[in-house]
Amino acid sequence: MRIITISREFGSGGREIGKRLAEALNIAYYDSEIISKIAQEMNLDENYLNNIIEKGIHNFNFHFGNSFNFSYNQTAINVLVTQQKIIKELAQKGDAVFVGRGADVILKDYNPFKIFVYADMDYKIKRCKERDTKDNSLSDKELIKKIKQIDSNRSKVHDLLSNTKWNDCKAYNLCLNTTKMKIETIIPVLANYVERWFNH
Amino acid sequence: MRIITISREFGSGGREIGKRLAEALNIAYYDSEIISKIAQEMNLDENYLNNIIEKGIHNFNFHFGNSFNFSYNQTAINVLVTQQKIIKELAQKGDAVFVGRGADVILKDYNPFKIFVYADMDYKIKRCKERDTKDNSLSDKELIKKIKQIDSNRSKVHDLLSNTKWNDCKAYNLCLNTTKMKIETIIPVLANYVERWFNH
């Protein structure tokens, strides 16, 4: 089974890489579909769910072996638990690319090919502004704050599930800096690399 | 000008990647040649020089803006200064792959393509034992100690020259985990990726 996971900094183009890579390899691609399934299963509105995920597990500070802070967001935790279940169910269906959502850790038993996508802040700002009118209406300062906030949540969720750090290359098979790169041009090379890895 | 730098954990196959990549791209490759040139310029024996470099700048603890610890190794520092000069001279000759020696930082004005090569410890042990009879005679524990020591020196030299951390993916364009990979199979893909990056 070929499972590929993509962890990515917000604005780095990770989602586009995931989508195009899945097309190139002709395998399934899971991203927002996961959210829809959680919404359905938990009987929650998708927008409300996205809002919870964006806000993260803020109030949930878990200091392993030291202390617990119980002011956590119970709904956020329920969402994470349901997400884990859904990701495992999707993986059972066969070869796929999973973008974000801690799939690299959740699916570790499948020995996935794990990619981390990142970029310089200037590039991420440019990319966000070009692709989202909502981001385009923000000042650079506001957008940087948003990017850091989302990445901080991603990092916290990852680090809750794993012994490795979210942005530590050691946790991945390949780390791609997309700064100044055209994503379309990366895909054939990346697909080739991934295929060689699965055939090793 | 196409300058490619390869930073690598000891035993990860970074040197082999550098050598083969330079062959694939038909450009110069600099590694031990740098040591020979330093030896010549400083009128030092190559073995003695290798020994100094392997031992690192141990005694030189430089706490920027806080305090200085003057028990540093003056010869090691002279070697680093000479190395910088030689790396810059070699870069002026044209396209090249530089392995290690902080070339990614020293040659930053050339906007090099910067690769970091790493691997799981088990793989590095296996690789070292297969390739070096000296390493093969060490116990796993001794070899791990050696690997960590050399990487710690590489890290210290890098961090002396740079604001970024040696093993932080942010400092590189691409980070390759060679665990279980056959290096020959990576090269055509990597050469393709690097060419696309220089043509972007």
Side-chain angles (χ1 to χ4, degrees):
Chain A
M1 177 113 70
R2 295 182 299 169
I3 300 287
I4 297 150
T5 64
I6 297 189
S7 309
R8 75 294 184 217
E9 289 183 348
F10 186 77
S12 67
R15 186 195 292 188
E16 188 184 341
I17 287 182
K19 202 165 188 171
R20 288 179 183 269
L21 183 61
E23 280 167 15
L25 295 170
N26 196 26
I27 63 178
Y29 162 78
Y30 301 119
D31 179 8
S32 55
E33 183 169 326
I34 297 169
I35 297 292
S36 309
K37 279 184 182 286
I38 301 170
Q40 211 179 328
E41 189 139 331
M42 296 183 75
N43 200 20
L44 290 172
D45 176 72
E46 269 192 48
N47 287 333
Y48 173 72
L49 192 57
N50 269 320
N51 193 30
I52 285 176
I53 288 174
E54 205 160 301
K55 280 201 178 138
I57 46 165
H58 260 97
N59 313 326
F60 181 50
N61 296 306
F62 189 101
H63 305 285
F64 203 87
N66 290 316
S67 63
F68 297 84
N69 176 349
F70 278 106
S71 71
Y72 54 78
N73 181 337
Q74 187 59 51
T75 313
I77 292 177
N78 291 344
V79 168
L80 286 183
V81 171
T82 310
Q83 186 168 270
Q84 284 212 27
K85 190 178 136 281
I86 287 168
I87 286 172
K88 284 180 179 172
E89 284 168 6
L90 289 171
Q92 282 171 4
K93 293 188 178 178
D95 296 356
V97 175
F98 286 85
V99 173
R101 310 187 194 291
D104 54 326
V105 188
I106 295 166
L107 301 177
K108 63 176 187 296
D109 291 345
Y110 287 91
N111 194 19
F113 186 83
K114 293 167 285 182
I115 303 173
F116 184 70
V117 183
Y118 60 103
D120 294 352
M121 187 55 89
D122 288 351
Y123 171 83
K124 292 188 287 190
I125 292 171
K126 193 168 162 279
R127 190 177 160 87
C128 286
K129 295 207 162 197
E130 278 169 5
R131 300 177 72 86
D132 191 327
T133 48
K134 220 162 54 184
D135 287 342
N136 199 22
S137 69
L138 299 176
S139 70
D140 280 8
K141 208 176 151 188
E142 287 167 330
L143 187 52
I144 290 172
K145 197 179 158 194
K146 178 184 168 180
I147 291 172
K148 286 189 173 169
Q149 177 65 58
I150 293 177
D151 283 350
S152 162
N153 290 337
R154 289 178 179 175
S155 164
K156 278 182 201 159
V157 172
H158 182 278
D159 298 352
L160 245 185
L161 300 171
S162 171
N163 295 325
T164 57
K165 290 276 168 202
W166 174 68
N167 61 357
D168 180 358
C169 61
K170 283 285 192 183
Y172 304 97
N173 298 97
L174 192 68
C175 304
L176 290 175
N177 185 339
T178 52
T179 307
K180 292 185 192 158
M181 286 294 275
K182 270 208 188 106
I183 288 189
E184 312 88 272
T185 67
I186 301 178
I187 302 303
V189 192
L190 188 57
N192 192 348
Y193 191 93
V194 170
E195 276 173 342
R196 281 167 195 253
W197 190 83
F198 278 106
N199 296 330
H200 72 239
Chain B
M1 176 111 69
R2 294 183 300 168
I3 299 289
I4 298 150
T5 64
I6 297 187
S7 309
R8 76 294 183 215
E9 289 182 349
F10 186 76
S12 67
R15 186 195 290 187
E16 188 184 341
I17 288 183
K19 202 165 187 171
R20 288 178 183 267
L21 183 61
E23 278 166 17
L25 295 168
N26 196 23
I27 63 179
Y29 163 78
Y30 301 118
D31 179 10
S32 56
E33 184 168 324
I34 297 170
I35 297 291
S36 308
K37 279 185 182 286
I38 300 171
Q40 208 178 330
E41 190 139 329
M42 294 182 76
N43 201 19
L44 291 172
D45 176 71
E46 270 192 49
N47 287 333
Y48 174 71
L49 192 56
N50 270 320
N51 193 30
I52 285 177
I53 288 174
E54 206 161 299
K55 282 203 179 136
I57 47 167
H58 261 97
N59 313 328
F60 181 50
N61 296 305
F62 186 101
H63 305 286
F64 204 86
N66 292 317
S67 63
F68 297 84
N69 177 349
F70 277 107
S71 71
Y72 55 77
N73 181 339
Q74 186 60 49
T75 312
I77 292 178
N78 291 345
V79 168
L80 285 183
V81 171
T82 310
Q83 187 168 269
Q84 283 213 27
K85 189 178 137 278
I86 286 167
I87 286 173
K88 284 181 179 172
E89 285 168 5
L90 289 171
Q92 281 170 4
K93 291 188 180 179
D95 297 355
V97 174
F98 286 84
V99 173
R101 308 185 196 292
D104 55 326
V105 188
I106 295 166
L107 299 178
K108 64 177 186 293
D109 292 346
Y110 286 91
N111 193 21
F113 186 83
K114 291 167 288 185
I115 303 173
F116 184 69
V117 183
Y118 60 104
D120 294 351
M121 186 56 89
D122 287 352
Y123 171 83
K124 292 187 290 190
I125 291 171
K126 193 169 162 277
R127 192 178 157 86
C128 287
K129 294 207 162 195
E130 279 169 5
R131 301 177 72 86
D132 191 327
T133 48
K134 222 163 51 185
D135 287 341
N136 200 23
S137 69
L138 298 177
S139 71
D140 280 8
K141 207 175 152 188
E142 287 167 330
L143 187 51
I144 291 172
K145 196 178 160 196
K146 177 183 167 180
I147 290 172
K148 286 190 174 169
Q149 177 66 58
I150 293 178
D151 283 350
S152 161
N153 290 338
R154 288 178 180 176
S155 165
K156 278 183 200 156
V157 171
H158 182 277
D159 298 353
L160 245 187
L161 299 171
S162 172
N163 295 325
T164 58
K165 291 274 168 205
W166 175 68
N167 61 357
D168 180 359
C169 61
K170 284 287 192 183
Y172 304 97
N173 299 96
L174 193 68
C175 304
L176 291 174
N177 186 338
T178 51
T179 307
K180 292 183 191 160
M181 288 293 276
K182 271 210 186 104
I183 288 190
E184 312 88 272
T185 68
I186 301 178
I187 301 305
V189 192
L190 188 57
N192 193 347
Y193 192 93
V194 170
E195 276 174 341
R196 280 166 196 254
W197 189 83
F198 279 108
N199 295 331
H200 71 240

